[in-house]
Amino acid sequence: MSADLGDGASPVIEEVIDDSGLRWMGRLFASTISGVTPQSVGTIAAQHEHDPDWVKLAMRDEDRRVIAALSSHLPLTLAQGAARFVDEDAGYQLALRTRVLEHLAVHPSHRGRGYARALLERAEELHRGQTDVDLWFGFLDERERGAAAFYDELGFIRVETPAELPAPAHVLEHATLVRRGQWFYKLLIAPSPTT
């Protein structure tokens, strides 16, 4: 999959499979997302141990620098909290059936070219292929509110509180969250008809 660079070149979306690529992603996230450090992305081995289906996507410029990246995975820490504060099954269902969009970033000099959209579409395709995953969610903090319309265009639904997220993510209403902002989600499978 590629997006238009405007100069005839088309960066390709690649799955990040080594620690070098992960470090480049971390640098981009740290330079564009407040509160993120390059080290916060960890290592491929650590990510694979927690979630072998962790989606790590990047786009590179002609000099092989990461210009856009996305990280989306099972919400392990949130699921552990749900298991502790709600019940074990709630945590298990959250880990099994959902994925969280952790980070999405495009270098400022490369914005407006469709890279974020291309990364999200590819990540959605990968998540839809994962067994039992039926809900993808994320969070926009107050600094990211300008991106809300972008997520709306891609079919995400915004809600004000975690209690408004579909099951099993609604259990996050029991979490103590210090961040202020807005949740968003997308169902990855059609809801079953009610009888």
Side-chain angles (χ1 to χ4, degrees), residues 76-194:
L76 183 63
T77 303
L78 296 172
Q80 289 169 335
R84 182 173 172 209
F85 295 110
V86 180
D87 63 50
E88 275 192 35
D89 188 58
Y92 176 75
Q93 291 299 317
L94 189 63
L96 176 69
R97 296 180 41 216
T98 73
R99 294 300 178 262
V100 61
L101 175 58
E102 180 87 24
H103 299 303
L104 172 62
V106 177
H107 190 277
S109 66
H110 294 277
R111 291 183 181 157
R113 300 178 188 182
Y115 299 163
R117 177 182 302 272
L119 287 168
L120 279 167
E121 288 171 351
R122 178 65 180 136
E124 180 178 341
E125 181 181 308
L126 291 169
H127 285 318
R128 284 183 185 277
Q130 294 172 345
T131 305
D132 296 323
V133 176
D134 55 10
L135 179 67
W136 191 20
F137 70 95
F139 184 80
L140 292 170
D141 68 24
E142 292 173 347
R143 299 173 314 250
E144 300 166 321
R145 289 263 181 167
F150 170 71
Y151 287 100
D152 292 347
E153 288 174 23
L154 291 170
F156 286 90
I157 298 166
R158 288 184 283 146
V159 295
E160 293 299 322
T161 68
E164 298 171 85
L165 291 168
H170 69 293
V171 300
L172 295 175
E173 72 177 307
H174 302 286
T176 303
L177 303 169
V178 295
R179 295 171 61 186
R180 300 274 183 240
Q182 191 170 51
W183 296 86
F184 61 91
Y185 72 90
K186 182 182 267 194
L187 295 174
L188 298 178
I189 62 170
S192 58
T194 56

Side-chain angles (χ1 to χ4, degrees), residues 1-13 59-62 67 115:
M1 179 173 287
S2 64
D4 181 26
L5 262 175
D7 60 0
S10 295
V12 175
I13 295 175
M59 298 176 86
R60 297 176 184 266
D61 66 10
E62 60 277 355
I67 56 172
Y115 299 163

